Amino acid sequence: QVQLQESGPGLVKPSQTLSLTCTVSGGSMSSGDYYWSWIRQPPGKGLEWIGHIYYTGSSFYNPSLKSRLSISVDTSKNQFSLKVSSVTAADTAVYYCARVVAHYDILTGHQHYDMDVWGQGTTVTVSS
Amino acid sequence: QTVVTQEPSLTVSPGGTVTLTCASTTGAVTSGYYPNWFQQKPGQAPRALIYSTSNKHSWTPDRFSGSLLGGQAALTLSGVQPEDEAEYYCLLYLAGAQLWVFGGGTKLTVL
């Protein structure tokens, strides 16, 4: 059973860089079937997709955050990481990591994308 | 930029049936958006319910079903239970751009 666990500082000062790591256990990240995602949820608000990375290091970002984002992967440690630069109070949120399974069903001829496993989330507050 | 909209809130009686919808500002939602649905209870991480429009996970109760209705993705709960009270989010995948977009969520009250 694959599990994901976020870790990192719970408090970041404005204008600094937020850094989080997601550790994957119970399975390997180095499979072509998976994308590894970051999602966040500001207090009392909805979910926002931040970006995702493939095990090769190919990454895709939410256009509204792209200029401040960096997502990286370390398959030797079974971890992927998020950096958000120049943070403000608006970046205060619960940050989740999640796995997306991408697979092609040869029996039905259908492609599937399934965000199936999530971490518990970690709260990050931006404040001086 | 694609915006995904859901009903902000819905109320249903125990044992009843309710349908939540998920629409895109750029046009009809099709299977090519691979709609995913999640349930989130207060203080918990979201839990996956449905992927690729209508596929259930092993843990998804039978009373939950996904479909496409009138150009929107839909999540139907039949025989609603009190424990189904939660926030529900849809998620669409823009495969060409490799982007995901969440809907704003529907707060479902069972009353």
Side-chain angles (χ1 to χ4, degrees), chain A residues 72-88:
Chain A
S72 59
V73 63
D74 186 340
T75 55
S76 67
K77 295 182 179 179
N78 247 23
Q79 294 178 334
F80 62 108
S81 298
L82 169 71
K83 292 186 187 299
V84 183
S85 63
S86 305
V87 297
T88 69

Side-chain angles (χ1 to χ4, degrees), chain A residues 35 39 41 45-49 52 60-64 96 100 103 111-116 118-120, chain B residues 1 34 36 38 40 44-46 48 51-52 55 57 59 89 91 93 95 97-104:
Chain A
Y35 293 89
I39 299 103
Q41 185 171 36
K45 296 188 178 181
L47 300 168
E48 179 180 36
W49 178 78
H52 69 224
F60 296 86
Y61 301 134
N62 185 325
S64 67
Y96 297 99
V100 173
H103 70 270
Q111 176 70 42
H112 295 293
Y113 292 95
D114 176 13
M115 190 175 286
D116 66 339
W118 292 59
Q120 295 179 341
Chain B
Q1 185 170 342
Y34 308 98
N36 280 229
F38 304 90
Q40 186 179 34
Q44 297 182 15
Y51 67 94
S52 293
N55 295 273
H57 291 280
W59 56 81
Y89 292 93
L91 175 64
Y93 186 45
Q98 291 216 32
L99 304 175
W100 292 92
V101 184
F102 280 98

Side-chain angles (χ1 to χ4, degrees), chain B residues 20-95:
Chain B
L20 289 64
T21 65
C22 174
S24 169
T25 56
T26 55
V29 175
T30 67
S31 59
Y33 283 86
Y34 308 98
N36 280 229
W37 289 92
F38 304 90
Q39 178 191 66
Q40 186 179 34
K41 296 184 177 180
Q44 297 182 15
R47 180 177 73 142
L49 292 174
I50 302 286
Y51 67 94
S52 293
T53 304
S54 59
N55 295 273
K56 298 181 186 182
H57 291 280
S58 58
W59 56 81
T60 304
D62 288 343
R63 61 184 179 275
F64 290 84
S65 63
S67 64
L68 294 175
L69 281 175
Q72 301 177 42
L75 176 70
T76 299
L77 288 70
S78 304
V80 172
Q81 302 296 308
E83 61 264 29
D84 297 332
E85 183 163 293
E87 192 87 21
Y88 291 85
Y89 292 93
C90 69
L91 175 64
L92 302 182
Y93 186 45
L94 282 58

Side-chain angles (χ1 to χ4, degrees), chain A residues 5-10 19-23 38 79 95 97 121-122 124:
Chain A
Q5 179 67 58
E6 307 87 351
S7 59
S19 297
L20 297 174
T21 296
C22 181
T23 301
W38 287 100
Q79 294 178 334
Y95 285 76
C97 56
T122 187
V124 178

